[in-house]
PDB file of all heavy atoms in Angstrom:
ATOM      1  N   ASN A   1       0.986 -14.233  -8.036  1.00 98.00           N
ATOM      2  CA  ASN A   1      -0.016 -13.710  -7.096  1.00 98.00           C
ATOM      3  C   ASN A   1       0.640 -12.963  -5.938  1.00 98.00           C
ATOM      4  O   ASN A   1       0.188 -13.059  -4.788  1.00 98.00           O
ATOM      5  CB  ASN A   1      -0.892 -14.849  -6.535  1.00 98.00           C
ATOM      6  CG  ASN A   1      -1.859 -15.388  -7.558  1.00 98.00           C
ATOM      7  OD1 ASN A   1      -1.852 -14.982  -8.718  1.00 98.00           O
ATOM      8  ND2 ASN A   1      -2.689 -16.315  -7.145  1.00 98.00           N
ATOM      9  N   ARG A   2       1.680 -12.219  -6.253  1.00 98.00           N
ATOM     10  CA  ARG A   2       2.416 -11.535  -5.195  1.00 98.00           C
ATOM     11  C   ARG A   2       2.576 -10.048  -5.498  1.00 98.00           C
ATOM     12  O   ARG A   2       2.731  -9.645  -6.643  1.00 98.00           O
ATOM     13  CB  ARG A   2       3.792 -12.157  -5.005  1.00 98.00           C
ATOM     14  CG  ARG A   2       3.776 -13.485  -4.267  1.00 98.00           C
ATOM     15  CD  ARG A   2       5.183 -13.962  -3.967  1.00 98.00           C
ATOM     16  NE  ARG A   2       5.178 -15.193  -3.176  1.00 98.00           N
ATOM     17  CZ  ARG A   2       5.180 -15.219  -1.859  1.00 98.00           C
ATOM     18  NH1 ARG A   2       5.195 -14.085  -1.180  1.00 98.00           N
ATOM     19  NH2 ARG A   2       5.176 -16.374  -1.222  1.00 98.00           N
ATOM     20  N   VAL A   3       2.581  -9.282  -4.445  1.00 98.00           N
ATOM     21  CA  VAL A   3       2.896  -7.861  -4.526  1.00 98.00           C
ATOM     22  C   VAL A   3       4.015  -7.592  -3.528  1.00 98.00           C
ATOM     23  O   VAL A   3       4.065  -8.215  -2.458  1.00 98.00           O
ATOM     24  CB  VAL A   3       1.649  -6.990  -4.265  1.00 98.00           C
ATOM     25  CG1 VAL A   3       1.047  -7.242  -2.900  1.00 98.00           C
ATOM     26  CG2 VAL A   3       1.952  -5.524  -4.479  1.00 98.00           C
ATOM     27  N   TYR A   4       4.919  -6.684  -3.914  1.00 98.00           N
ATOM     28  CA  TYR A   4       6.115  -6.435  -3.122  1.00 98.00           C
ATOM     29  C   TYR A   4       6.230  -4.951  -2.771  1.00 98.00           C
ATOM     30  O   TYR A   4       5.784  -4.079  -3.529  1.00 98.00           O
ATOM     31  CB  TYR A   4       7.366  -6.840  -3.903  1.00 98.00           C
ATOM     32  CG  TYR A   4       7.346  -8.267  -4.388  1.00 98.00           C
ATOM     33  CD1 TYR A   4       6.954  -8.568  -5.695  1.00 98.00           C
ATOM     34  CD2 TYR A   4       7.732  -9.316  -3.554  1.00 98.00           C
ATOM     35  CE1 TYR A   4       6.942  -9.870  -6.152  1.00 98.00           C
ATOM     36  CE2 TYR A   4       7.719 -10.620  -4.007  1.00 98.00           C
ATOM     37  CZ  TYR A   4       7.325 -10.895  -5.305  1.00 98.00           C
ATOM     38  OH  TYR A   4       7.314 -12.188  -5.752  1.00 98.00           O
ATOM     39  N   LEU A   5       6.878  -4.704  -1.652  1.00 98.00           N
ATOM     40  CA  LEU A   5       7.240  -3.339  -1.288  1.00 98.00           C
ATOM     41  C   LEU A   5       8.712  -3.361  -0.907  1.00 98.00           C
ATOM     42  O   LEU A   5       9.084  -3.873   0.154  1.00 98.00           O
ATOM     43  CB  LEU A   5       6.393  -2.824  -0.132  1.00 98.00           C
ATOM     44  CG  LEU A   5       6.614  -1.356   0.234  1.00 98.00           C
ATOM     45  CD1 LEU A   5       6.117  -0.448  -0.900  1.00 98.00           C
ATOM     46  CD2 LEU A   5       5.901  -1.006   1.544  1.00 98.00           C
ATOM     47  N   GLN A   6       9.546  -2.862  -1.799  1.00 98.00           N
ATOM     48  CA  GLN A   6      10.984  -2.745  -1.542  1.00 98.00           C
ATOM     49  C   GLN A   6      11.214  -1.429  -0.829  1.00 98.00           C
ATOM     50  O   GLN A   6      10.860  -0.364  -1.355  1.00 98.00           O
ATOM     51  CB  GLN A   6      11.765  -2.787  -2.854  1.00 98.00           C
ATOM     52  CG  GLN A   6      13.260  -2.580  -2.692  1.00 98.00           C
ATOM     53  CD  GLN A   6      13.932  -3.723  -1.950  1.00 98.00           C
ATOM     54  OE1 GLN A   6      13.650  -4.890  -2.196  1.00 98.00           O
ATOM     55  NE2 GLN A   6      14.830  -3.387  -1.032  1.00 98.00           N
ATOM     56  N   MET A   7      11.803  -1.508   0.350  1.00 98.00           N
ATOM     57  CA  MET A   7      12.010  -0.315   1.165  1.00 98.00           C
ATOM     58  C   MET A   7      13.499  -0.073   1.348  1.00 98.00           C
ATOM     59  O   MET A   7      14.201  -0.913   1.929  1.00 98.00           O
ATOM     60  CB  MET A   7      11.323  -0.501   2.528  1.00 98.00           C
ATOM     61  CG  MET A   7       9.841  -0.800   2.418  1.00 98.00           C
ATOM     62  SD  MET A   7       9.022  -0.996   3.996  1.00 98.00           S
ATOM     63  CE  MET A   7       9.680  -2.572   4.507  1.00 98.00           C
ATOM     64  N   ASN A   8      13.987   1.035   0.843  1.00 98.00           N
ATOM     65  CA  ASN A   8      15.394   1.411   0.948  1.00 98.00           C
ATOM     66  C   ASN A   8      15.532   2.674   1.799  1.00 98.00           C
ATOM     67  O   ASN A   8      14.559   3.394   2.030  1.00 98.00           O
ATOM     68  CB  ASN A   8      15.966   1.659  -0.444  1.00 98.00           C
ATOM     69  CG  ASN A   8      15.926   0.433  -1.320  1.00 98.00           C
ATOM     70  OD1 ASN A   8      16.019  -0.705  -0.838  1.00 98.00           O
ATOM     71  ND2 ASN A   8      15.788   0.644  -2.621  1.00 98.00           N
ATOM     72  N   SER A   9      16.743   2.927   2.237  1.00 98.00           N
ATOM     73  CA  SER A   9      17.031   4.119   3.051  1.00 98.00           C
ATOM     74  C   SER A   9      16.026   4.258   4.191  1.00 98.00           C
ATOM     75  O   SER A   9      15.457   5.330   4.423  1.00 98.00           O
ATOM     76  CB  SER A   9      17.012   5.380   2.175  1.00 98.00           C
ATOM     77  OG  SER A   9      17.950   5.269   1.123  1.00 98.00           O
ATOM     78  N   LEU A  10      15.828   3.176   4.902  1.00 98.00           N
ATOM     79  CA  LEU A  10      14.813   3.167   5.949  1.00 98.00           C
ATOM     80  C   LEU A  10      15.174   4.099   7.098  1.00 98.00           C
ATOM     81  O   LEU A  10      16.350   4.279   7.442  1.00 98.00           O
ATOM     82  CB  LEU A  10      14.610   1.745   6.463  1.00 98.00           C
ATOM     83  CG  LEU A  10      13.763   0.864   5.540  1.00 98.00           C
ATOM     84  CD1 LEU A  10      13.976  -0.607   5.831  1.00 98.00           C
ATOM     85  CD2 LEU A  10      12.289   1.229   5.697  1.00 98.00           C
ATOM     86  N   LYS A  11      14.139   4.680   7.682  1.00 98.00           N
ATOM     87  CA  LYS A  11      14.282   5.615   8.783  1.00 98.00           C
ATOM     88  C   LYS A  11      13.511   5.070   9.996  1.00 98.00           C
ATOM     89  O   LYS A  11      12.554   4.305   9.829  1.00 98.00           O
ATOM     90  CB  LYS A  11      13.688   6.971   8.398  1.00 98.00           C
ATOM     91  CG  LYS A  11      14.259   7.568   7.123  1.00 98.00           C
ATOM     92  CD  LYS A  11      13.521   8.839   6.744  1.00 98.00           C
ATOM     93  CE  LYS A  11      14.052   9.427   5.441  1.00 98.00           C
ATOM     94  NZ  LYS A  11      13.325  10.666   5.056  1.00 98.00           N
ATOM     95  N   PRO A  12      13.891   5.477  11.192  1.00 97.00           N
ATOM     96  CA  PRO A  12      13.141   5.020  12.373  1.00 97.00           C
ATOM     97  C   PRO A  12      11.646   5.336  12.281  1.00 97.00           C
ATOM     98  O   PRO A  12      10.822   4.550  12.781  1.00 97.00           O
ATOM     99  CB  PRO A  12      13.812   5.796  13.508  1.00 97.00           C
ATOM    100  CG  PRO A  12      15.216   5.993  13.038  1.00 97.00           C
ATOM    101  CD  PRO A  12      15.094   6.230  11.552  1.00 97.00           C
ATOM    102  N   GLU A  13      11.298   6.415  11.637  1.00 97.00           N
ATOM    103  CA  GLU A  13       9.875   6.778  11.509  1.00 97.00           C
ATOM    104  C   GLU A  13       9.109   5.873  10.541  1.00 97.00           C
ATOM    105  O   GLU A  13       7.890   5.976  10.426  1.00 97.00           O
ATOM    106  CB  GLU A  13       9.705   8.244  11.090  1.00 97.00           C
ATOM    107  CG  GLU A  13      10.519   8.652   9.894  1.00 97.00           C
ATOM    108  CD  GLU A  13      11.824   9.332  10.273  1.00 97.00           C
ATOM    109  OE1 GLU A  13      12.519   8.824  11.192  1.00 97.00           O
ATOM    110  OE2 GLU A  13      12.166  10.346   9.630  1.00 97.00           O
ATOM    111  N   ASP A  14       9.815   4.972   9.861  1.00 98.00           N
ATOM    112  CA  ASP A  14       9.149   3.978   9.024  1.00 98.00           C
ATOM    113  C   ASP A  14       8.676   2.779   9.850  1.00 98.00           C
ATOM    114  O   ASP A  14       8.000   1.895   9.326  1.00 98.00           O
ATOM    115  CB  ASP A  14      10.082   3.480   7.915  1.00 98.00           C
ATOM    116  CG  ASP A  14      10.433   4.566   6.915  1.00 98.00           C
ATOM    117  OD1 ASP A  14       9.535   5.336   6.525  1.00 98.00           O
ATOM    118  OD2 ASP A  14      11.617   4.628   6.516  1.00 98.00           O
ATOM    119  N   THR A  15       9.041   2.731  11.110  1.00 98.00           N
ATOM    120  CA  THR A  15       8.638   1.639  11.986  1.00 98.00           C
ATOM    121  C   THR A  15       7.126   1.587  12.115  1.00 98.00           C
ATOM    122  O   THR A  15       6.480   2.578  12.448  1.00 98.00           O
ATOM    123  CB  THR A  15       9.267   1.811  13.382  1.00 98.00           C
ATOM    124  OG1 THR A  15      10.688   1.686  13.265  1.00 98.00           O
ATOM    125  CG2 THR A  15       8.746   0.754  14.350  1.00 98.00           C
ATOM    126  N   ALA A  16       6.557   0.420  11.796  1.00 98.00           N
ATOM    127  CA  ALA A  16       5.108   0.261  11.821  1.00 98.00           C
ATOM    128  C   ALA A  16       4.765  -1.178  11.453  1.00 98.00           C
ATOM    129  O   ALA A  16       5.630  -1.938  11.007  1.00 98.00           O
ATOM    130  CB  ALA A  16       4.440   1.221  10.835  1.00 98.00           C
ATOM    131  N   VAL A  17       3.499  -1.505  11.602  1.00 98.00           N
ATOM    132  CA  VAL A  17       2.971  -2.733  11.007  1.00 98.00           C
ATOM    133  C   VAL A  17       2.524  -2.378   9.591  1.00 98.00           C
ATOM    134  O   VAL A  17       1.782  -1.415   9.400  1.00 98.00           O
ATOM    135  CB  VAL A  17       1.792  -3.288  11.825  1.00 98.00           C
ATOM    136  CG1 VAL A  17       1.212  -4.527  11.136  1.00 98.00           C
ATOM    137  CG2 VAL A  17       2.247  -3.628  13.243  1.00 98.00           C
ATOM    138  N   TYR A  18       2.996  -3.153   8.633  1.00 98.00           N
ATOM    139  CA  TYR A  18       2.690  -2.901   7.232  1.00 98.00           C
ATOM    140  C   TYR A  18       1.606  -3.873   6.765  1.00 98.00           C
ATOM    141  O   TYR A  18       1.728  -5.085   6.958  1.00 98.00           O
ATOM    142  CB  TYR A  18       3.952  -3.041   6.380  1.00 98.00           C
ATOM    143  CG  TYR A  18       4.830  -1.830   6.489  1.00 98.00           C
ATOM    144  CD1 TYR A  18       5.541  -1.571   7.662  1.00 98.00           C
ATOM    145  CD2 TYR A  18       4.938  -0.914   5.441  1.00 98.00           C
ATOM    146  CE1 TYR A  18       6.328  -0.436   7.785  1.00 98.00           C
ATOM    147  CE2 TYR A  18       5.728   0.220   5.554  1.00 98.00           C
ATOM    148  CZ  TYR A  18       6.417   0.451   6.731  1.00 98.00           C
ATOM    149  OH  TYR A  18       7.201   1.582   6.850  1.00 98.00           O
ATOM    150  N   TYR A  19       0.586  -3.306   6.134  1.00 98.00           N
ATOM    151  CA  TYR A  19      -0.565  -4.074   5.681  1.00 98.00           C
ATOM    152  C   TYR A  19      -0.696  -4.015   4.168  1.00 98.00           C
ATOM    153  O   TYR A  19      -0.549  -2.952   3.559  1.00 98.00           O
ATOM    154  CB  TYR A  19      -1.855  -3.528   6.292  1.00 98.00           C
ATOM    155  CG  TYR A  19      -1.934  -3.628   7.783  1.00 98.00           C
ATOM    156  CD1 TYR A  19      -1.492  -2.588   8.592  1.00 98.00           C
ATOM    157  CD2 TYR A  19      -2.465  -4.766   8.393  1.00 98.00           C
ATOM    158  CE1 TYR A  19      -1.576  -2.668   9.975  1.00 98.00           C
ATOM    159  CE2 TYR A  19      -2.542  -4.859   9.770  1.00 98.00           C
ATOM    160  CZ  TYR A  19      -2.089  -3.804  10.551  1.00 98.00           C
ATOM    161  OH  TYR A  19      -2.165  -3.894  11.923  1.00 98.00           O
ATOM    162  N   CYS A  20      -1.059  -5.147   3.596  1.00 98.00           N
ATOM    163  CA  CYS A  20      -1.403  -5.251   2.191  1.00 98.00           C
ATOM    164  C   CYS A  20      -2.931  -5.205   2.090  1.00 98.00           C
ATOM    165  O   CYS A  20      -3.622  -5.751   2.963  1.00 98.00           O
ATOM    166  CB  CYS A  20      -0.854  -6.574   1.663  1.00 98.00           C
ATOM    167  SG  CYS A  20      -1.298  -6.988  -0.011  1.00 98.00           S
ATOM    168  N   ALA A  21      -3.433  -4.558   1.040  1.00 98.00           N
ATOM    169  CA  ALA A  21      -4.884  -4.445   0.873  1.00 98.00           C
ATOM    170  C   ALA A  21      -5.253  -4.565  -0.596  1.00 98.00           C
ATOM    171  O   ALA A  21      -4.443  -4.246  -1.475  1.00 98.00           O
ATOM    172  CB  ALA A  21      -5.372  -3.117   1.434  1.00 98.00           C
ATOM    173  N   ALA A  22      -6.469  -5.029  -0.850  1.00 97.00           N
ATOM    174  CA  ALA A  22      -6.975  -5.195  -2.215  1.00 97.00           C
ATOM    175  C   ALA A  22      -8.129  -4.232  -2.465  1.00 97.00           C
ATOM    176  O   ALA A  22      -9.022  -4.100  -1.622  1.00 97.00           O
ATOM    177  CB  ALA A  22      -7.436  -6.633  -2.430  1.00 97.00           C
ATOM    178  N   GLU A  23      -8.094  -3.601  -3.619  1.00 94.00           N
ATOM    179  CA  GLU A  23      -9.127  -2.636  -4.019  1.00 94.00           C
ATOM    180  C   GLU A  23      -9.749  -3.148  -5.304  1.00 94.00           C
ATOM    181  O   GLU A  23      -9.124  -3.124  -6.363  1.00 94.00           O
ATOM    182  CB  GLU A  23      -8.491  -1.266  -4.210  1.00 94.00           C
ATOM    183  CG  GLU A  23      -9.456  -0.101  -4.143  1.00 94.00           C
ATOM    184  CD  GLU A  23      -9.992   0.291  -5.509  1.00 94.00           C
ATOM    185  OE1 GLU A  23      -9.176   0.490  -6.426  1.00 94.00           O
ATOM    186  OE2 GLU A  23     -11.212   0.395  -5.658  1.00 94.00           O
ATOM    187  N   THR A  24     -10.983  -3.649  -5.224  1.00 90.00           N
ATOM    188  CA  THR A  24     -11.588  -4.362  -6.340  1.00 90.00           C
ATOM    189  C   THR A  24     -12.460  -3.498  -7.256  1.00 90.00           C
ATOM    190  O   THR A  24     -12.774  -3.928  -8.358  1.00 90.00           O
ATOM    191  CB  THR A  24     -12.430  -5.532  -5.816  1.00 90.00           C
ATOM    192  OG1 THR A  24     -13.469  -5.023  -4.968  1.00 90.00           O
ATOM    193  CG2 THR A  24     -11.580  -6.517  -5.031  1.00 90.00           C
ATOM    194  N   ASP A  25     -12.846  -2.316  -6.831  1.00 87.00           N
ATOM    195  CA  ASP A  25     -13.784  -1.520  -7.619  1.00 87.00           C
ATOM    196  C   ASP A  25     -13.156  -0.889  -8.856  1.00 87.00           C
ATOM    197  O   ASP A  25     -13.808  -0.746  -9.891  1.00 87.00           O
ATOM    198  CB  ASP A  25     -14.391  -0.417  -6.748  1.00 87.00           C
ATOM    199  CG  ASP A  25     -15.442  -0.963  -5.799  1.00 87.00           C
ATOM    200  OD1 ASP A  25     -15.854  -2.140  -6.000  1.00 87.00           O
ATOM    201  OD2 ASP A  25     -15.855  -0.239  -4.879  1.00 87.00           O
ATOM    202  N   ARG A  26     -11.875  -0.484  -8.729  1.00 85.00           N
ATOM    203  CA  ARG A  26     -11.231   0.222  -9.840  1.00 85.00           C
ATOM    204  C   ARG A  26      -9.856  -0.388 -10.091  1.00 85.00           C
ATOM    205  O   ARG A  26      -8.826   0.178  -9.712  1.00 85.00           O
ATOM    206  CB  ARG A  26     -11.109   1.714  -9.513  1.00 85.00           C
ATOM    207  CG  ARG A  26     -12.443   2.410  -9.351  1.00 85.00           C
ATOM    208  CD  ARG A  26     -12.246   3.876  -8.983  1.00 85.00           C
ATOM    209  NE  ARG A  26     -11.618   4.039  -7.691  1.00 85.00           N
ATOM    210  CZ  ARG A  26     -11.284   5.217  -7.161  1.00 85.00           C
ATOM    211  NH1 ARG A  26     -11.523   6.334  -7.853  1.00 85.00           N
ATOM    212  NH2 ARG A  26     -10.729   5.282  -5.991  1.00 85.00           N
ATOM    213  N   PRO A  27      -9.811  -1.546 -10.724  1.00 81.00           N
ATOM    214  CA  PRO A  27      -8.543  -2.276 -10.876  1.00 81.00           C
ATOM    215  C   PRO A  27      -7.480  -1.545 -11.680  1.00 81.00           C
ATOM    216  O   PRO A  27      -6.287  -1.764 -11.458  1.00 81.00           O
ATOM    217  CB  PRO A  27      -8.969  -3.565 -11.570  1.00 81.00           C
ATOM    218  CG  PRO A  27     -10.266  -3.247 -12.232  1.00 81.00           C
ATOM    219  CD  PRO A  27     -10.942  -2.272 -11.318  1.00 81.00           C
ATOM    220  N   LEU A  28      -7.907  -0.677 -12.611  1.00 83.00           N
ATOM    221  CA  LEU A  28      -6.917   0.009 -13.453  1.00 83.00           C
ATOM    222  C   LEU A  28      -6.353   1.255 -12.784  1.00 83.00           C
ATOM    223  O   LEU A  28      -5.425   1.869 -13.293  1.00 83.00           O
ATOM    224  CB  LEU A  28      -7.560   0.387 -14.785  1.00 83.00           C
ATOM    225  CG  LEU A  28      -8.013  -0.783 -15.660  1.00 83.00           C
ATOM    226  CD1 LEU A  28      -8.714  -0.265 -16.902  1.00 83.00           C
ATOM    227  CD2 LEU A  28      -6.833  -1.675 -16.026  1.00 83.00           C
ATOM    228  N   TYR A  29      -6.894   1.616 -11.638  1.00 83.00           N
ATOM    229  CA  TYR A  29      -6.516   2.843 -10.947  1.00 83.00           C
ATOM    230  C   TYR A  29      -5.507   2.540  -9.862  1.00 83.00           C
ATOM    231  O   TYR A  29      -5.631   1.552  -9.133  1.00 83.00           O
ATOM    232  CB  TYR A  29      -7.780   3.455 -10.347  1.00 83.00           C
ATOM    233  CG  TYR A  29      -7.588   4.801  -9.686  1.00 83.00           C
ATOM    234  CD1 TYR A  29      -7.090   5.884 -10.386  1.00 83.00           C
ATOM    235  CD2 TYR A  29      -7.941   4.978  -8.350  1.00 83.00           C
ATOM    236  CE1 TYR A  29      -6.936   7.117  -9.771  1.00 83.00           C
ATOM    237  CE2 TYR A  29      -7.796   6.199  -7.734  1.00 83.00           C
ATOM    238  CZ  TYR A  29      -7.291   7.273  -8.455  1.00 83.00           C
ATOM    239  OH  TYR A  29      -7.150   8.492  -7.840  1.00 83.00           O
ATOM    240  N   SER A  30      -4.484   3.378  -9.736  1.00 79.00           N
ATOM    241  CA  SER A  30      -3.464   3.142  -8.718  1.00 79.00           C
ATOM    242  C   SER A  30      -3.461   4.207  -7.643  1.00 79.00           C
ATOM    243  O   SER A  30      -2.568   4.246  -6.817  1.00 79.00           O
ATOM    244  CB  SER A  30      -2.084   3.096  -9.368  1.00 79.00           C
ATOM    245  OG  SER A  30      -1.772   4.366  -9.930  1.00 79.00           O
ATOM    246  N   GLY A  31      -4.458   5.110  -7.648  1.00 83.00           N
ATOM    247  CA  GLY A  31      -4.398   6.235  -6.735  1.00 83.00           C
ATOM    248  C   GLY A  31      -5.269   6.145  -5.508  1.00 83.00           C
ATOM    249  O   GLY A  31      -5.514   7.156  -4.846  1.00 83.00           O
ATOM    250  N   SER A  32      -5.758   4.959  -5.178  1.00 90.00           N
ATOM    251  CA  SER A  32      -6.611   4.831  -3.991  1.00 90.00           C
ATOM    252  C   SER A  32      -5.756   4.921  -2.746  1.00 90.00           C
ATOM    253  O   SER A  32      -4.914   4.058  -2.507  1.00 90.00           O
ATOM    254  CB  SER A  32      -7.358   3.501  -4.039  1.00 90.00           C
ATOM    255  OG  SER A  32      -8.211   3.454  -5.158  1.00 90.00           O
ATOM    256  N   ARG A  33      -5.961   5.958  -1.944  1.00 93.00           N
ATOM    257  CA  ARG A  33      -5.106   6.213  -0.788  1.00 93.00           C
ATOM    258  C   ARG A  33      -5.849   6.213   0.536  1.00 93.00           C
ATOM    259  O   ARG A  33      -5.249   6.532   1.574  1.00 93.00           O
ATOM    260  CB  ARG A  33      -4.384   7.549  -0.974  1.00 93.00           C
ATOM    261  CG  ARG A  33      -5.300   8.714  -1.248  1.00 93.00           C
ATOM    262  CD  ARG A  33      -4.531   9.979  -1.513  1.00 93.00           C
ATOM    263  NE  ARG A  33      -3.719  10.387  -0.372  1.00 93.00           N
ATOM    264  CZ  ARG A  33      -3.067  11.527  -0.282  1.00 93.00           C
ATOM    265  NH1 ARG A  33      -3.125  12.376  -1.283  1.00 93.00           N
ATOM    266  NH2 ARG A  33      -2.356  11.825   0.766  1.00 93.00           N
ATOM    267  N   TYR A  34      -7.113   5.874   0.519  1.00 94.00           N
ATOM    268  CA  TYR A  34      -7.894   5.867   1.750  1.00 94.00           C
ATOM    269  C   TYR A  34      -8.293   4.449   2.119  1.00 94.00           C
ATOM    270  O   TYR A  34      -8.633   3.632   1.262  1.00 94.00           O
ATOM    271  CB  TYR A  34      -9.130   6.758   1.602  1.00 94.00           C
ATOM    272  CG  TYR A  34      -8.777   8.192   1.288  1.00 94.00           C
ATOM    273  CD1 TYR A  34      -8.927   8.703   0.007  1.00 94.00           C
ATOM    274  CD2 TYR A  34      -8.251   9.016   2.276  1.00 94.00           C
ATOM    275  CE1 TYR A  34      -8.577  10.007  -0.283  1.00 94.00           C
ATOM    276  CE2 TYR A  34      -7.900  10.328   1.992  1.00 94.00           C
ATOM    277  CZ  TYR A  34      -8.058  10.816   0.718  1.00 94.00           C
ATOM    278  OH  TYR A  34      -7.703  12.107   0.432  1.00 94.00           O
ATOM    279  N   THR A  35      -8.274   4.159   3.410  1.00 95.00           N
ATOM    280  CA  THR A  35      -8.531   2.792   3.850  1.00 95.00           C
ATOM    281  C   THR A  35      -9.911   2.301   3.433  1.00 95.00           C
ATOM    282  O   THR A  35     -10.070   1.120   3.112  1.00 95.00           O
ATOM    283  CB  THR A  35      -8.394   2.681   5.380  1.00 95.00           C
ATOM    284  OG1 THR A  35      -9.279   3.616   6.008  1.00 95.00           O
ATOM    285  CG2 THR A  35      -6.964   2.967   5.828  1.00 95.00           C
ATOM    286  N   ASP A  36     -10.898   3.185   3.390  1.00 94.00           N
ATOM    287  CA  ASP A  36     -12.244   2.720   3.065  1.00 94.00           C
ATOM    288  C   ASP A  36     -12.428   2.431   1.575  1.00 94.00           C
ATOM    289  O   ASP A  36     -13.497   1.975   1.153  1.00 94.00           O
ATOM    290  CB  ASP A  36     -13.312   3.695   3.560  1.00 94.00           C
ATOM    291  CG  ASP A  36     -13.184   5.084   2.967  1.00 94.00           C
ATOM    292  OD1 ASP A  36     -12.301   5.296   2.108  1.00 94.00           O
ATOM    293  OD2 ASP A  36     -13.955   5.970   3.362  1.00 94.00           O
ATOM    294  N   GLN A  37     -11.395   2.668   0.778  1.00 94.00           N
ATOM    295  CA  GLN A  37     -11.458   2.304  -0.632  1.00 94.00           C
ATOM    296  C   GLN A  37     -11.048   0.846  -0.862  1.00 94.00           C
ATOM    297  O   GLN A  37     -11.201   0.333  -1.962  1.00 94.00           O
ATOM    298  CB  GLN A  37     -10.545   3.223  -1.452  1.00 94.00           C
ATOM    299  CG  GLN A  37     -11.024   4.674  -1.496  1.00 94.00           C
ATOM    300  CD  GLN A  37     -10.050   5.583  -2.204  1.00 94.00           C
ATOM    301  OE1 GLN A  37      -8.907   5.739  -1.777  1.00 94.00           O
ATOM    302  NE2 GLN A  37     -10.494   6.195  -3.298  1.00 94.00           N
ATOM    303  N   TYR A  38     -10.525   0.219   0.160  1.00 96.00           N
ATOM    304  CA  TYR A  38     -10.014  -1.141   0.056  1.00 96.00           C
ATOM    305  C   TYR A  38     -10.971  -2.123   0.708  1.00 96.00           C
ATOM    306  O   TYR A  38     -11.532  -1.848   1.769  1.00 96.00           O
ATOM    307  CB  TYR A  38      -8.613  -1.229   0.667  1.00 96.00           C
ATOM    308  CG  TYR A  38      -7.594  -0.509  -0.178  1.00 96.00           C
ATOM    309  CD1 TYR A  38      -7.424   0.872  -0.067  1.00 96.00           C
ATOM    310  CD2 TYR A  38      -6.826  -1.199  -1.107  1.00 96.00           C
ATOM    311  CE1 TYR A  38      -6.515   1.548  -0.866  1.00 96.00           C
ATOM    312  CE2 TYR A  38      -5.906  -0.540  -1.906  1.00 96.00           C
ATOM    313  CZ  TYR A  38      -5.758   0.830  -1.786  1.00 96.00           C
ATOM    314  OH  TYR A  38      -4.861   1.493  -2.581  1.00 96.00           O
TER     315      TYR A  38
END
């Protein structure tokens, strides 16, 4: 029940709070890029 984000070659502009989100409407789709889709 885990999802991971491996981050390499990090840059100062990567500084942020990182959030995990679940998108239940289209489970087979990986292209949801808008916050209101989650």
Side-chain angles (χ1 to χ4, degrees):
N1 288 4
R2 284 187 176 270
V3 59
Y4 305 97
L5 185 67
Q6 176 67 43
M7 303 181 288
N8 298 329
S9 302
L10 282 161
K11 305 174 182 179
E13 50 263 45
D14 294 318
T15 295
V17 177
Y18 282 72
Y19 297 91
C20 174
E23 200 268 309
T24 61
D25 284 347
R26 297 178 295 177
L28 296 176
Y29 185 58
S30 64
S32 297
R33 54 184 298 188
Y34 301 104
T35 56
D36 60 4
Q37 293 175 298
Y38 290 83

